[in-house]
Amino acid sequence: MSQKVYLGIDTSCYTTSAALLAEDGSLLAEARQILSVKPGRCGLQQSEMVFQHTRNLPRLVEEVFADKDCTLAAIGVSGYPRPLADSYMPAFLAGMSVARSLAAAYKVPLEVISHQENHLEAGLWSAGGPQAERFLLLHASGGTTDLLLCERREDSRYNLTQVGGSLDLHAGQFVDRIGVALGLQFPTGPALEQLAEQAEKPLELPVSVRKLDVSLSGPATAAMRKLEAGANAASLALGVEHTLAETFARLLRNGAAAYGVRDVILVGGVGSNKYIRKHVEEKLAKRRVRLWVPEGRFSCDNASGCAAVAWRLHKKND
């Protein structure tokens, strides 16, 4: 018997992805393709992102629907970076065009959310919480290091209000700047994490946190100077992880105290790092603040959050 399914599409700066949820909210299939970046480069132009997404997405949609007896019930797609009126990035047009076309052809609801909300929804779906009406979200990636207050609305969506974050470099930029200097392939997060596992102890780097504002340019400059001075690569990689972990822990501790919340959720590519998660969780536990983290593969860029919001908002109407 054909089952109803919920499709999610996300075309972020460096990953094309599609996901399919079943009627009970479980994952039926997901597929993703990291965009190709030439060795030694630290990014892509938006036009190149759009081209690669346009090329990748049809194949990924075909992959998630392959060999499935199903009926499309709703679609979720990320249409812009942040939930703000002026938030725009061409990369998301590729996903929007496919999602709108499918929704029109199959006459199903289309939920357009921001990429940041996609990360939130993926985190809630994968981690199973928090269930609180108010909690904090730290979105740490290559393009974002935002601390947001999340408040549940009557329509089951969330209001996201930025209350803190980085004043300069984003966490992923810090990781990639040092990773590329170490000769790692961009985006360097997974490779830097593997390199750090070889170190006995982290190289000491500064931590700059003032209330709900953090600075990562200073730690990045210090790391580059140590590398130029001949620092051990693995120890430096672990030092980058430790500095980010301590930065996040202090920021979340301060945020929880400022807004009187006991639940925080960590998402984004940098948030998938095991060392960082463990350190932050241990630090927050001492303040009786619970850290929620999605499964690692659903913390980095993926479309499960878009599929999850389509499922969550439309399953009751089926």
Side-chain angles (χ1 to χ4, degrees):
M1 179 178 177
S2 177
Q3 69 166 318
K4 293 181 179 179
V5 296
Y6 303 82
L7 174 66
I9 293 173
D10 182 67
T11 51
S12 65
C13 284
Y14 296 105
T15 307
T16 317
S17 49
L20 206 61
L21 298 191
E23 291 177 89
D24 62 358
S26 62
L27 184 70
L28 272 179
E30 68 110 7
R32 64 185 82 172
Q33 176 68 55
I34 295 177
L35 304 190
S36 177
V37 179
K38 293 181 180 179
R41 290 182 59 185
C42 289
L44 292 170
Q45 293 182 340
Q46 283 289 319
S47 59
E48 178 63 22
M49 292 180 194
V50 172
F51 169 73
Q52 292 196 40
H53 284 315
T54 303
R55 181 184 59 192
N56 295 340
L57 193 52
R59 175 178 55 81
L60 299 185
V61 172
E62 290 172 351
E63 187 175 331
V64 298
F65 277 103
D67 302 321
K68 292 178 180 62
D69 182 12
C70 59
T71 301
L72 188 60
I75 301 171
V77 63
S78 53
Y80 37 90
R82 291 177 171 87
L84 302 172
D86 60 349
S87 184
Y88 169 76
M89 190 174 287
F92 295 104
L93 294 177
M96 278 289 294
S97 65
V98 171
R100 287 185 61 183
S101 298
L102 287 173
Y106 287 93
K107 295 180 174 56
V108 297
L110 174 65
E111 293 294 335
V112 181
I113 60 175
S114 68
H115 179 69
Q116 199 159 60
E117 289 169 297
N118 173 49
H119 274 292
L120 168 62
E121 293 287 348
L124 294 170
W125 169 76
S126 177
Q131 302 297 329
E133 296 295 312
R134 296 170 79 249
F135 55 91
L136 288 175
L137 167 72
L138 178 56
H139 179 195
S141 66
T144 307
T145 304
D146 290 349
L147 180 65
L148 303 117
L149 178 65
C150 302
E151 299 174 292
R152 194 192 306 269
R153 304 188 322 219
E154 290 185 1
D155 63 359
S156 296
R157 296 279 290 270
Y158 292 87
N159 286 327
L160 274 61
T161 305
Q162 185 170 353
V163 296
S166 178
L167 297 172
D168 39 54
L169 282 183
H170 297 307
Q173 290 176 316
F174 178 21
V175 170
D176 287 327
R177 185 169 296 185
I178 306 307
V180 170
L182 287 168
L184 306 178
Q185 175 65 32
F186 180 93
T188 65
L192 185 129
E193 185 172 4
Q194 291 181 348
L195 179 61
E197 292 173 354
Q198 303 172 23
E200 294 183 2
K201 62 179 182 179
L203 204 63
E204 185 175 347
L205 297 171
V207 175
S208 179
V209 180
R210 184 175 181 180
K211 295 184 178 179
L212 302 184
D213 293 325
V214 306
S215 174
L216 296 173
S217 61
T221 299
M224 289 297 292
R225 287 175 178 168
K226 288 182 180 292
L227 180 60
E228 292 167 359
N232 176 268
S235 296
L236 180 59
L238 184 56
V240 170
E241 288 185 335
H242 184 78
T243 296
L244 286 171
E246 185 60 23
T247 297
F248 293 170
R250 295 183 193 181
L251 174 61
L252 289 168
R253 175 196 66 193
N254 295 347
Y259 287 93
V261 301
R262 289 295 176 186
D263 294 279
V264 300
I265 185 167
L266 175 62
V267 300
V270 179
S272 67
N273 182 285
K274 296 184 183 67
Y275 179 93
I276 292 175
R277 288 181 172 205
K278 184 174 185 294
H279 182 90
V280 174
E281 183 176 25
E282 291 174 351
K283 287 280 187 173
L284 292 183
K286 295 177 181 179
R287 300 298 182 100
R288 297 182 180 179
V289 176
R290 180 172 181 179
L291 178 70
W292 298 79
V293 291
E295 186 180 339
R297 64 187 177 127
F298 299 120
S299 184
C300 53
D301 286 352
N302 72 101
S304 65
C306 289
V309 75
W311 169 76
R312 188 167 63 80
L313 296 181
H314 295 283
K315 61 178 179 178
K316 60 186 177 183
N317 298 323
D318 290 348

